[in-house]
């Protein structure tokens, strides 16, 4: 058996509706370069990652300029113009397009384009924990706030016990064959781990970092700038 390799798959086919910006949020400049460039530069710089695939929408008008500005990405990153209507569909379409280059036992690290705070250290930490794992897992953070369940009026119905609650991040790292099967079988999911859970398997939670948060709203940009300018 050959040693499994590690591939990155970056879904970047969203429109960023909640960001309300003129261009899709993954192309907004943060600390001097587009959000997506931060992610692709990090994966391209990782010795652990064999190759990176980025999924964009068929009508994307920005990716070619981004790739041209990052000449070093040319043989480290492949652009797949097969984005779907949902994140799940974009990831699944990407997995299908990658099939010739990737074996069933190879690992795929799925990472949101909207999390530019990813670091080489976080990639290494995830791989170190999971390389021998039967299931795979994801970066996540233990919840620290007291959690409330709201009613339709925005009033607290109940306090949800925080014990054992984690907030999921990405990368989410699973074997290619298992991940593809899981995403094909599940009706709807917002992350890969929940598709794996639907198979009755239990993904490992690996401590992520606050800097790896997902940029969703306009006010998130300033915080991301602090993280990306303040650390390498
Ligand atoms: N994504 C994707 N294909 C979709 C929807 C989302 O590849 N049809 C990607 C986004 O580009 C992003 C990641 O999935 O990198 C996480 O999604 P999210 O933060 O929700 O981004 P958007 O869907 O673009 O934003 P919004 O939900 O505010 O529209
Ligand atoms: Mg979305």
């Amino acid at each position: 058996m050959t040693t499994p390799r590690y591939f990155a798959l970056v879904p970047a086919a969203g429109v960023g509706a909640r960001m309300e910006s003129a261009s899709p949020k993954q192309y907004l400049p943060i600390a001097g370069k587009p959000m997506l460039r931060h992610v692709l530069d990090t994966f391209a710089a990782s010795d652990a990652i064999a190759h990176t695939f980025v999924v964009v929408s068929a009508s994307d008008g920005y990716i070619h300029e981004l790739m041209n500005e990052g000449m070093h990405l040319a043989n480290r990153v492949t652009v797949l113009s097969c984005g779907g209507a949902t994140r799940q569909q974009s990831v699944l379409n990407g997995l299908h397009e990658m099939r010739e280059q990737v074996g069933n036992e190879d690992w795929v690290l799925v990472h949101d384009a909207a999390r530019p705070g990813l670091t080489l250290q976080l990639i290494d930490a995830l791989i170190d924990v999971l390389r021998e794992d039967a299931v795979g897992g994801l970066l996540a953070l233990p919840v620290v706030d007291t959690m409330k369940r709201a009613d339709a009026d925005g009033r607290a119905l109940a306090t949800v016990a925080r014990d054992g609650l984690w907030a999921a991040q990405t990368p989410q790292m699973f074997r290619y064959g298992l991940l593809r099967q899981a995403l094909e079988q599940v009706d709807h999911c917002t992350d890969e781990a929940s598709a794996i859970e639907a198979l009755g398997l239990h993904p490992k939670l690996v401590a992520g970092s606050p800097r790896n948060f997902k940029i969703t709203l306009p006010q998130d940009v300033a915080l991301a700038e602090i993280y990306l300018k303040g650390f390498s």
Side-chain angles (χ1 to χ4, degrees), residues 152-174:
D153 292 334
R155 290 182 172 276
L157 275 177
T159 299
V160 180
R162 182 177 60 202
D163 299 347
L165 281 188
W166 293 62
Q169 299 189 334
T170 68
Q172 304 208 352
M173 174 175 156
F174 298 98

Side-chain angles (χ1 to χ4, degrees), residues 18 25 87 214:
R18 287 169 288 182
K25 69 177 175 184
R87 181 183 178 284
K214 192 175 73 159

